[in-house]
Amino acid sequence: MRLSGRLPWSGETASPLLSLREEREREGKPVLSLVSTDPTSAELGLPWDEIAAPLGDASLWKSYRPDPHGTPAARRALSAFYRKWGEEIDPERIFLSASTSELYSWLFQTLCDPGDAVLVPEPGYPLFEEIAALAAVKTVPAPLAPRSEGGCLKRWACDFAAWSAALRVSRGAARAVVVVAPHNPTGAAPSASEWIRIAEFCRANGLVLVVDEVFRLLADGGEKPACDWGSLGIPVAVLSGLSKWLAGPQLKLSWMRLYGPEDDLRAWNDALEHAADACLNVGGPAQASLGTWLELVPRASALLKSRVERNREAFLATFGPLFPKVRIMSEPAGWYALLRVDGADEEELTLRLLGETGLFVHPGFFYDFDEEGVLVLSLVGEEREFARRAGLLRDWLAKHYF
Ligand SMILES: Cc1ncc(COP(=O)(O)O)c(C=O)c1O
Protein backbone atom coordinates (compact mmCIF):
# COMPACT_ATOMS: atom_id res chain seq x y z
CA MET A 1 0.00 0.00 0.00
CA ARG A 2 1.33 3.44 -0.86
CA LEU A 3 1.07 6.16 1.78
CA SER A 4 1.55 9.88 1.42
CA GLY A 5 5.18 10.89 1.24
CA ARG A 6 4.40 13.98 3.28
CA LEU A 7 4.62 11.94 6.48
CA PRO A 8 8.17 12.54 7.74
CA TRP A 9 8.00 9.53 10.02
CA SER A 10 6.93 6.93 7.44
CA GLY A 11 9.42 4.08 7.64
CA GLU A 12 10.95 5.55 10.79
CA THR A 13 11.76 3.12 13.59
CA ALA A 14 10.52 3.88 17.11
CA SER A 15 12.96 5.58 19.47
CA PRO A 16 14.93 2.99 21.50
CA LEU A 17 13.93 4.80 24.71
CA LEU A 18 10.20 4.65 23.95
CA SER A 19 10.57 1.02 22.85
CA LEU A 20 12.31 0.14 26.11
CA ARG A 21 9.55 1.84 28.11
CA GLU A 22 6.90 -0.13 26.21
CA GLU A 23 8.83 -3.34 26.76
CA ARG A 24 9.02 -2.70 30.52
CA GLU A 25 5.31 -1.93 30.66
CA ARG A 26 4.51 -5.12 28.75
CA GLU A 27 6.66 -7.13 31.15
CA GLY A 28 5.04 -5.48 34.19
CA LYS A 29 8.29 -3.79 35.28
CA PRO A 30 7.95 -0.37 36.95
CA VAL A 31 8.24 2.80 34.91
CA LEU A 32 8.74 5.84 37.16
CA SER A 33 7.96 8.69 34.82
CA LEU A 34 9.38 12.11 35.57
CA VAL A 35 7.91 13.54 32.38
CA SER A 36 4.19 12.99 32.69
CA THR A 37 2.34 16.10 31.59
CA ASP A 38 -1.12 14.60 31.88
CA PRO A 39 -2.90 16.85 34.37
CA THR A 40 -5.80 14.38 34.64
CA SER A 41 -3.57 11.82 36.38
CA ALA A 42 -1.76 14.35 38.57
CA GLU A 43 -4.24 14.44 41.49
CA LEU A 44 -4.70 18.18 41.28
CA GLY A 45 -8.00 18.23 43.17
CA LEU A 46 -9.95 19.84 40.34
CA PRO A 47 -13.60 20.79 41.09
CA TRP A 48 -15.07 17.97 38.97
CA ASP A 49 -18.65 18.38 40.16
CA GLU A 50 -18.64 21.99 39.08
CA ILE A 51 -16.97 21.14 35.77
CA ALA A 52 -19.62 18.46 35.09
CA ALA A 53 -22.61 20.63 36.14
CA PRO A 54 -23.37 22.38 32.82
CA LEU A 55 -23.17 19.07 30.94
CA GLY A 56 -26.14 17.81 32.95
CA ASP A 57 -28.43 20.45 31.45
CA ALA A 58 -29.20 19.04 27.99
CA SER A 59 -31.36 22.03 27.13
CA LEU A 60 -28.08 23.93 26.74
CA TRP A 61 -26.74 21.71 23.98
CA LYS A 62 -29.35 19.30 22.59
CA SER A 63 -29.93 21.36 19.42
CA TYR A 64 -27.38 21.31 16.63
CA ARG A 65 -26.54 24.83 15.45
CA PRO A 66 -23.31 24.52 13.46
CA ASP A 67 -21.16 27.63 13.15
CA PRO A 68 -17.57 27.43 11.85
CA HIS A 69 -16.53 30.02 14.45
CA GLY A 70 -18.17 28.10 17.31
CA THR A 71 -21.39 29.13 19.02
CA PRO A 72 -21.94 32.88 19.46
CA ALA A 73 -22.66 32.39 23.19
CA ALA A 74 -19.32 30.64 23.77
CA ARG A 75 -17.47 33.34 21.86
CA ARG A 76 -19.23 36.10 23.80
CA ALA A 77 -18.22 34.35 27.03
CA LEU A 78 -14.59 34.34 25.87
CA SER A 79 -14.72 37.98 24.84
CA ALA A 80 -16.11 38.93 28.27
CA PHE A 81 -13.47 36.78 29.99
CA TYR A 82 -10.59 38.55 28.21
CA ARG A 83 -12.16 41.96 28.88
CA LYS A 84 -11.70 41.32 32.62
CA TRP A 85 -7.97 41.19 31.90
CA GLY A 86 -8.16 44.39 29.87
CA GLU A 87 -8.00 42.65 26.48
CA GLU A 88 -10.58 43.50 23.85
CA ILE A 89 -11.58 40.89 21.30
CA ASP A 90 -14.54 41.01 18.93
CA PRO A 91 -16.45 37.68 19.24
CA GLU A 92 -16.55 37.69 15.41
CA ARG A 93 -12.76 37.35 15.46
CA ILE A 94 -12.73 34.24 17.63
CA PHE A 95 -12.61 30.65 16.39
CA LEU A 96 -13.32 27.69 18.66
CA SER A 97 -11.80 24.29 17.96
CA ALA A 98 -11.43 20.89 19.56
CA SER A 99 -7.76 21.47 20.41
CA THR A 100 -4.94 23.92 20.03
CA SER A 101 -3.27 21.42 17.72
CA GLU A 102 -6.30 21.63 15.43
CA LEU A 103 -5.95 25.43 15.36
CA TYR A 104 -2.37 25.01 14.17
CA SER A 105 -3.63 22.77 11.34
CA TRP A 106 -6.11 25.39 10.24
CA LEU A 107 -3.45 28.10 10.39
CA PHE A 108 -0.93 26.10 8.39
CA GLN A 109 -3.61 25.13 5.85
CA THR A 110 -4.88 28.68 5.40
CA LEU A 111 -1.57 30.56 5.46
CA CYS A 112 0.60 28.20 3.42
CA ASP A 113 0.69 26.46 0.08
CA PRO A 114 2.25 22.99 -0.05
CA GLY A 115 6.01 23.45 0.26
CA ASP A 116 5.76 26.75 2.15
CA ALA A 117 7.32 27.04 5.58
CA VAL A 118 6.64 28.26 9.11
CA LEU A 119 9.26 29.28 11.63
CA VAL A 120 8.88 27.35 14.88
CA PRO A 121 10.80 27.62 18.14
CA GLU A 122 13.91 25.49 18.68
CA PRO A 123 14.31 23.92 21.16
CA GLY A 124 10.62 23.24 21.34
CA TYR A 125 7.79 20.84 21.94
CA PRO A 126 7.77 18.22 19.17
CA LEU A 127 4.32 19.13 17.92
CA PHE A 128 4.74 21.49 15.04
CA GLU A 129 6.72 19.37 12.62
CA GLU A 130 4.07 16.68 12.45
CA ILE A 131 1.11 19.03 12.21
CA ALA A 132 2.91 21.06 9.54
CA ALA A 133 3.91 17.93 7.60
CA LEU A 134 0.28 16.83 7.49
CA ALA A 135 -0.50 20.15 5.80
CA ALA A 136 2.47 19.60 3.42
CA VAL A 137 4.23 22.53 5.09
CA LYS A 138 7.86 22.63 6.25
CA THR A 139 9.07 23.85 9.61
CA VAL A 140 12.18 25.99 9.89
CA PRO A 141 13.77 26.33 13.34
CA ALA A 142 13.59 29.80 14.91
CA PRO A 143 16.16 29.33 17.68
CA LEU A 144 15.92 30.41 21.27
CA ALA A 145 19.30 30.91 22.89
CA PRO A 146 20.18 30.63 26.56
CA ARG A 147 21.42 33.91 27.96
CA SER A 148 24.24 33.57 30.48
CA GLU A 149 24.18 35.52 33.70
CA GLY A 150 27.22 35.10 35.91
CA GLY A 151 28.15 31.76 34.40
CA CYS A 152 24.76 30.22 35.17
CA LEU A 153 22.26 29.79 32.36
CA LYS A 154 19.30 31.83 33.42
CA ARG A 155 16.86 32.68 30.72
CA TRP A 156 16.13 31.82 27.14
CA ALA A 157 15.38 34.47 24.53
CA CYS A 158 14.64 34.76 20.79
CA ASP A 159 17.88 34.67 18.80
CA PHE A 160 16.95 37.22 16.13
CA ALA A 161 20.20 36.84 14.18
CA ALA A 162 19.49 33.11 13.89
CA TRP A 163 15.88 33.87 12.88
CA SER A 164 17.14 36.00 9.99
CA ALA A 165 19.49 33.20 8.97
CA ALA A 166 16.53 30.77 9.14
CA LEU A 167 14.58 33.02 6.79
CA ARG A 168 17.45 33.05 4.33
CA VAL A 169 17.48 29.23 4.42
CA SER A 170 13.74 29.14 3.75
CA ARG A 171 14.29 31.22 0.54
CA GLY A 172 11.09 33.20 0.67
CA ALA A 173 8.87 30.22 1.52
CA ALA A 174 8.17 31.28 5.13
CA ARG A 175 4.64 32.51 5.87
CA ALA A 176 4.43 32.66 9.66
CA VAL A 177 6.42 32.57 12.85
CA VAL A 178 5.19 30.68 15.90
CA VAL A 179 6.05 32.06 19.35
CA VAL A 180 5.10 29.96 22.38
CA ALA A 181 4.91 32.22 25.43
CA PRO A 182 5.71 31.00 28.02
CA HIS A 183 7.66 28.54 25.95
CA ASN A 184 7.65 24.79 26.32
CA PRO A 185 10.11 23.42 27.54
CA THR A 186 12.35 26.42 28.41
CA GLY A 187 9.74 28.69 30.02
CA ALA A 188 11.01 31.65 27.96
CA ALA A 189 8.60 34.55 27.56
CA PRO A 190 9.41 37.62 25.45
CA SER A 191 9.63 40.95 27.25
CA ALA A 192 7.57 43.94 26.02
CA SER A 193 10.50 45.15 23.91
CA GLU A 194 11.06 41.66 22.47
CA TRP A 195 7.42 41.52 21.32
CA ILE A 196 8.02 44.77 19.44
CA ARG A 197 11.11 43.25 17.80
CA ILE A 198 9.17 40.11 16.91
CA ALA A 199 6.43 42.23 15.33
CA GLU A 200 9.04 44.23 13.39
CA PHE A 201 10.60 40.99 12.19
CA CYS A 202 7.19 39.77 10.99
CA ARG A 203 6.34 43.08 9.32
CA ALA A 204 9.69 43.32 7.55
CA ASN A 205 9.36 39.79 6.21
CA GLY A 206 5.63 39.59 5.50
CA LEU A 207 5.04 36.95 8.19
CA VAL A 208 1.96 36.27 10.26
CA LEU A 209 2.59 36.08 14.01
CA VAL A 210 1.15 33.01 15.74
CA VAL A 211 1.24 33.28 19.54
CA ASP A 212 0.61 30.20 21.67
CA GLU A 213 -0.44 31.24 25.16
CA VAL A 214 -1.49 27.83 26.50
CA PHE A 215 1.00 28.18 29.40
CA ARG A 216 0.12 31.80 30.14
CA LEU A 217 -1.48 31.12 33.50
CA LEU A 218 1.57 29.28 34.84
CA ALA A 219 3.60 32.49 34.74
CA ASP A 220 3.55 35.02 37.57
CA GLY A 221 1.14 37.79 36.59
CA GLY A 222 -0.10 35.65 33.67
CA GLU A 223 -3.44 37.47 33.72
CA LYS A 224 -1.69 40.62 32.52
CA PRO A 225 -1.73 40.89 28.71
CA ALA A 226 1.73 40.14 27.29
CA CYS A 227 1.16 42.61 24.48
CA ASP A 228 -1.53 44.76 22.88
CA TRP A 229 -1.90 42.48 19.85
CA GLY A 230 -4.26 44.81 18.02
CA SER A 231 -1.71 47.62 18.05
CA LEU A 232 1.07 45.68 16.31
CA GLY A 233 -0.31 46.39 12.82
CA ILE A 234 0.37 42.85 11.56
CA PRO A 235 -1.90 39.78 11.37
CA VAL A 236 -1.71 37.94 14.70
CA ALA A 237 -3.41 34.73 15.89
CA VAL A 238 -3.38 34.09 19.65
CA LEU A 239 -4.10 30.48 20.63
CA SER A 240 -5.18 28.97 23.90
CA GLY A 241 -7.39 26.27 25.34
CA LEU A 242 -8.75 24.31 28.24
CA SER A 243 -6.19 21.52 28.04
CA LYS A 244 -3.86 23.72 30.12
CA TRP A 245 -6.14 26.50 31.42
CA LEU A 246 -8.58 24.08 33.02
CA ALA A 247 -6.06 21.22 33.20
CA GLY A 248 -8.56 19.36 30.99
CA PRO A 249 -7.14 18.03 27.69
CA GLN A 250 -10.07 15.60 27.51
CA LEU A 251 -12.60 18.49 27.44
CA LYS A 252 -11.46 19.20 23.88
CA LEU A 253 -11.98 22.92 23.64
CA SER A 254 -9.55 25.56 22.45
CA TRP A 255 -9.84 28.95 20.81
CA MET A 256 -7.99 31.46 18.72
CA ARG A 257 -8.24 35.25 18.64
CA LEU A 258 -7.40 37.12 15.45
CA TYR A 259 -5.96 40.64 15.36
CA GLY A 260 -4.54 42.77 12.57
CA PRO A 261 -5.34 45.16 9.73
CA GLU A 262 -9.03 44.87 8.77
CA ASP A 263 -8.42 43.94 5.09
CA ASP A 264 -6.13 41.06 6.05
CA LEU A 265 -8.54 39.89 8.72
CA ARG A 266 -11.52 39.75 6.37
CA ALA A 267 -9.75 37.42 3.91
CA TRP A 268 -8.12 35.35 6.64
CA ASN A 269 -11.42 35.00 8.48
CA ASP A 270 -13.10 33.67 5.30
CA ALA A 271 -10.31 31.15 4.74
CA LEU A 272 -10.47 29.95 8.34
CA GLU A 273 -14.24 29.61 8.13
CA HIS A 274 -13.71 27.18 5.24
CA ALA A 275 -11.11 25.18 7.18
CA ALA A 276 -13.31 25.00 10.30
CA ASP A 277 -16.50 24.33 8.36
CA ALA A 278 -14.97 21.30 6.63
CA CYS A 279 -15.06 19.28 9.85
CA LEU A 280 -16.90 21.23 12.59
CA ASN A 281 -15.06 19.20 15.21
CA VAL A 282 -15.79 21.09 18.40
CA GLY A 283 -18.52 19.45 20.47
CA GLY A 284 -21.80 21.15 21.37
CA PRO A 285 -21.77 20.15 25.08
CA ALA A 286 -18.28 21.62 25.52
CA GLN A 287 -19.23 24.88 23.81
CA ALA A 288 -22.38 25.19 25.89
CA SER A 289 -20.30 24.67 29.05
CA LEU A 290 -17.61 27.17 28.21
CA GLY A 291 -19.15 30.08 30.14
CA THR A 292 -19.17 28.03 33.36
CA TRP A 293 -15.77 26.51 32.68
CA LEU A 294 -14.18 29.93 32.17
CA GLU A 295 -15.41 30.92 35.63
CA LEU A 296 -13.50 27.89 36.96
CA VAL A 297 -10.29 28.70 35.05
CA PRO A 298 -8.73 30.89 37.78
CA ARG A 299 -9.20 28.14 40.38
CA ALA A 300 -8.06 25.26 38.17
CA SER A 301 -5.05 27.08 36.83
CA ALA A 302 -4.09 28.17 40.38
CA LEU A 303 -4.06 24.49 41.40
CA LEU A 304 -1.83 23.62 38.47
CA LYS A 305 0.42 26.60 39.13
CA SER A 306 0.87 25.79 42.79
CA ARG A 307 1.67 22.15 41.90
CA VAL A 308 4.32 23.27 39.45
CA GLU A 309 5.74 25.76 41.97
CA ARG A 310 6.03 23.18 44.74
CA ASN A 311 7.69 20.68 42.43
CA ARG A 312 9.99 23.45 41.21
CA GLU A 313 11.08 24.05 44.82
CA ALA A 314 11.68 20.32 45.28
CA PHE A 315 13.65 20.25 42.01
CA LEU A 316 15.85 23.16 43.09
CA ALA A 317 16.42 21.64 46.53
CA THR A 318 17.28 18.26 45.00
CA PHE A 319 19.57 19.40 42.22
CA GLY A 320 20.69 22.78 43.63
CA PRO A 321 23.60 21.35 45.64
CA LEU A 322 25.52 20.76 42.48
CA PHE A 323 27.98 18.10 41.76
CA PRO A 324 30.51 19.05 39.12
CA LYS A 325 29.03 17.46 36.02
CA VAL A 326 25.31 17.92 36.64
CA ARG A 327 23.82 21.40 36.48
CA ILE A 328 20.38 22.93 36.51
CA MET A 329 20.34 24.29 32.99
CA SER A 330 18.15 27.34 33.50
CA GLU A 331 15.74 28.74 36.03
CA PRO A 332 12.74 26.37 35.82
CA ALA A 333 9.78 28.18 34.30
CA GLY A 334 6.63 26.79 32.72
CA TRP A 335 5.95 23.16 33.52
CA TYR A 336 9.30 21.62 32.64
CA ALA A 337 12.69 21.71 34.35
CA LEU A 338 16.01 21.16 32.59
CA LEU A 339 19.21 19.48 33.74
CA ARG A 340 22.49 19.26 31.86
CA VAL A 341 24.94 16.42 32.42
CA ASP A 342 28.31 17.47 31.00
CA GLY A 343 29.84 15.05 28.57
CA ALA A 344 26.91 12.62 28.72
CA ASP A 345 25.39 10.98 25.68
CA GLU A 346 21.76 11.70 26.57
CA GLU A 347 20.28 8.75 24.71
CA GLU A 348 22.68 6.33 26.39
CA LEU A 349 22.07 7.99 29.76
CA THR A 350 18.26 7.89 29.56
CA LEU A 351 18.31 4.26 28.33
CA ARG A 352 20.62 3.18 31.15
CA LEU A 353 18.62 5.13 33.70
CA LEU A 354 15.38 3.48 32.60
CA GLY A 355 16.93 0.02 32.42
CA GLU A 356 18.62 0.21 35.84
CA THR A 357 16.09 2.19 37.89
CA GLY A 358 12.80 2.38 35.97
CA LEU A 359 13.11 6.20 35.95
CA PHE A 360 11.90 7.73 32.70
CA VAL A 361 13.08 11.20 31.66
CA HIS A 362 13.22 12.76 28.22
CA PRO A 363 16.54 13.34 26.49
CA GLY A 364 16.97 16.88 25.17
CA PHE A 365 17.05 15.76 21.55
CA PHE A 366 13.31 15.01 21.77
CA TYR A 367 13.01 18.82 21.88
CA ASP A 368 15.92 19.60 19.52
CA PHE A 369 18.27 21.13 22.07
CA ASP A 370 21.58 22.11 20.50
CA GLU A 371 23.59 20.95 23.49
CA GLU A 372 24.30 17.35 24.42
CA GLY A 373 23.48 15.92 27.83
CA VAL A 374 20.16 17.72 28.39
CA LEU A 375 17.50 15.99 30.51
CA VAL A 376 13.90 17.23 30.55
CA LEU A 377 11.67 16.69 33.62
CA SER A 378 8.02 17.62 34.01
CA LEU A 379 6.86 19.48 37.14
CA VAL A 380 3.24 18.36 36.86
CA GLY A 381 3.33 15.04 38.78
CA GLU A 382 1.97 14.44 42.29
CA GLU A 383 4.32 16.15 44.76
CA ARG A 384 5.49 13.38 47.10
CA GLU A 385 6.12 11.05 44.20
CA PHE A 386 7.88 13.78 42.23
CA ALA A 387 10.22 14.48 45.17
CA ARG A 388 10.92 10.77 45.64
CA ARG A 389 11.66 10.17 41.97
CA ALA A 390 13.80 13.32 41.71
CA GLY A 391 15.82 12.06 44.71
CA LEU A 392 16.32 8.69 43.01
CA LEU A 393 17.48 10.46 39.86
CA ARG A 394 19.95 12.63 41.81
CA ASP A 395 21.40 9.57 43.60
CA TRP A 396 21.80 7.67 40.33
CA LEU A 397 23.42 10.67 38.60
CA ALA A 398 25.70 11.23 41.59
CA LYS A 399 26.84 7.61 41.38
CA HIS A 400 27.56 7.66 37.66
CA TYR A 401 28.37 11.27 36.77
CA PHE A 402 30.04 12.74 39.85
C1 LIG B 1 3.02 24.72 23.45
C2 LIG B 1 1.87 23.79 23.25
N1 LIG B 1 0.82 24.18 22.49
C3 LIG B 1 -0.23 23.36 22.29
C4 LIG B 1 -0.28 22.12 22.86
C5 LIG B 1 -1.45 21.23 22.56
O1 LIG B 1 -2.59 21.67 23.19
P1 LIG B 1 -4.00 20.92 22.91
O2 LIG B 1 -4.09 19.83 23.92
O3 LIG B 1 -5.01 22.00 23.14
O4 LIG B 1 -3.96 20.43 21.52
C6 LIG B 1 0.77 21.68 23.66
C7 LIG B 1 0.71 20.36 24.31
O5 LIG B 1 1.33 20.11 25.33
C8 LIG B 1 1.87 22.54 23.87
O6 LIG B 1 2.91 22.16 24.60
Side-chain angles (χ1 to χ4, degrees), residues 48-67:
W48 284 114
D49 288 348
E50 289 171 73
I51 293 172
L55 295 168
D57 183 356
S59 71
L60 295 176
W61 49 263
K62 66 180 183 193
S63 309
Y64 182 47
R65 297 206 180 82
D67 183 328

Side-chain angles (χ1 to χ4, degrees), residues 317-387:
T318 306
F319 296 102
L322 297 179
F323 35 108
K325 283 192 179 167
V326 181
R327 286 183 288 126
I328 293 176
M329 198 173 177
S330 52
E331 197 67 49
W335 72 5
Y336 282 114
L338 307 174
L339 284 174
R340 170 118 192 255
V341 184
D342 284 345
D345 174 324
E346 58 201 28
E347 180 155 45
E348 194 183 299
L349 186 158
T350 48
L351 275 167
R352 240 181 104 191
L353 177 70
L354 179 58
E356 291 177 18
T357 66
L359 286 166
F360 179 66
V361 302
H362 280 167
F365 72 82
F366 278 15
Y367 303 80
D368 289 327
F369 278 90
D370 248 3
E371 302 85 342
E372 256 293 310
V374 177
L375 303 181
V376 180
L377 277 63
S378 152
L379 300 171
V380 174
E382 190 276 325
E383 283 142 46
R384 283 225 307 263
E385 200 46 35
F386 175 84

Side-chain angles (χ1 to χ4, degrees), residues 118-126 128-129 139-146 156-159 162-163 166 177-180 183-186 188 364-371:
V118 288
L119 269 62
V120 301
E122 181 183 87
Y125 182 71
F128 303 115
E129 198 185 341
T139 51
V140 178
L144 290 163
W156 294 71
C158 307
D159 183 344
W163 286 24
V177 56
V178 175
V179 178
V180 180
H183 174 252
N184 179 5
T186 67
F365 72 82
F366 278 15
Y367 303 80
D368 289 327
F369 278 90
D370 248 3
E371 302 85 342

Side-chain angles (χ1 to χ4, degrees), residues 50-128:
E50 289 171 73
I51 293 172
L55 295 168
D57 183 356
S59 71
L60 295 176
W61 49 263
K62 66 180 183 193
S63 309
Y64 182 47
R65 297 206 180 82
D67 183 328
H69 279 264
T71 63
R75 288 183 279 122
R76 279 196 301 272
L78 271 168
S79 179
F81 183 80
Y82 278 104
R83 187 166 305 122
K84 284 193 210 148
W85 288 343
E87 286 174 86
E88 289 301 327
I89 180 67
D90 179 348
E92 297 302 312
R93 296 293 181 230
I94 294 177
F95 280 87
L96 300 183
S97 71
S99 68
T100 316
S101 308
E102 182 175 53
L103 293 170
Y104 279 114
S105 304
W106 294 349
L107 287 170
F108 297 163
Q109 288 160 5
T110 54
L111 296 173
C112 302
D113 285 323
D116 282 348
V118 288
L119 269 62
V120 301
E122 181 183 87
Y125 182 71
L127 167 81
F128 303 115

Side-chain angles (χ1 to χ4, degrees), residues 248-326:
Q250 78 285 35
L251 301 173
K252 303 308 299 174
L253 191 56
S254 288
W255 55 87
M256 163 165 74
R257 299 179 274 152
L258 300 184
Y259 295 91
E262 210 38 52
D263 284 352
D264 289 334
L265 280 191
R266 258 195 299 276
W268 195 14
N269 185 75
D270 287 353
L272 283 165
E273 281 183 2
H274 279 279
D277 204 31
C279 295
L280 294 167
N281 277 344
V282 57
Q287 296 187 74
S289 306
L290 184 60
T292 305
W293 290 348
L294 287 172
E295 284 169 26
L296 298 172
V297 159
R299 231 191 308 155
S301 56
L303 286 168
L304 186 54
K305 183 162 186 253
S306 93
R307 161 64 54 79
V308 164
E309 272 167 8
R310 282 203 289 272
N311 283 345
R312 180 184 298 151
E313 280 161 24
F315 173 83
L316 291 171
T318 306
F319 296 102
L322 297 179
F323 35 108
K325 283 192 179 167
V326 181

